[in-house]
Amino acid sequence: STTGALVTAELCAEPGDAPEDVGARAARLLLAEIARGGCFDSAHQWMALLLMTLAPEHVVRTRIGKLTPFTIQYLRDLRDFFNTTFKISPDAESNTVLMACLGTGFSNVGKKTI
C-alpha cells in the first residue's frame, strides 16, 4: 500500500482444487479486504481493539474497515470484561470507521522487574 498498512487474506485449498483456482480465489479475497479500507484487515480487527484496550491510560485511535459481526460481539466483550467503551465514528468519505478509546493502563503484575 502507499500508507504502509499490510492487508492480508488467506485461503486453504480443498482437496482436488487446481492451484490456479486457489490463487484466483485468494486474489479476490485480498481485493475484497483492500476495498473494505482501514489499517487492519477483517481477520485482525479484534487484535487491534484488544491492544487499544490494554494500552496506557490515554486516548488511542485507529481506522478500520467495516466492522465484522465478530468484531461487534468482541466490542461487547471488551465492554463487559474491561469496562472499556469505544467511540465509533463512521467516515462516509473513506468508507471506514474511526475507533477511539481510553486505554486501561494494564500492566503485568506477575512480571519480574530488575
Side-chain angles (χ1 to χ4, degrees):
S1 78
T2 59
T3 61
L6 298 176
V7 182
T8 64
E10 60 183 73
L11 177 74
C12 292
E14 298 292 329
D17 283 349
E20 296 83 9
D21 296 337
V22 175
R25 286 198 317 257
R28 282 193 293 274
L29 286 174
L30 182 58
L31 290 173
E33 287 295 338
I34 293 169
R36 291 175 79 98
C39 297
F40 297 95
D41 54 50
S42 59
H44 296 100
Q45 288 177 350
W46 68 272
M47 189 179 303
L49 298 177
L50 176 62
L51 293 174
M52 289 171 66
T53 301
L54 298 177
E57 296 179 21
H58 59 78
V59 176
V60 186
R61 295 181 187 92
T62 192
R63 182 176 305 275
I64 60 178
K66 182 180 175 187
L67 297 174
T68 64
F70 179 85
T71 302
I72 293 169
Q73 180 58 47
Y74 196 73
L75 285 168
R76 292 180 186 123
D77 294 341
L78 289 174
R79 181 196 61 213
D80 294 343
F81 293 128
F82 292 101
N83 198 27
T84 299
T85 56
F86 282 77
K87 180 180 178 189
I88 303 171
S89 305
D91 183 2
E93 183 179 316
S94 65
N95 201 27
T96 59
V97 180
L98 183 62
M99 306 287 292
C101 77
L102 182 65
T104 60
F106 182 82
S107 64
N108 185 354
V109 295
K111 183 178 178 183
K112 293 183 182 180
T113 58
I114 297 176

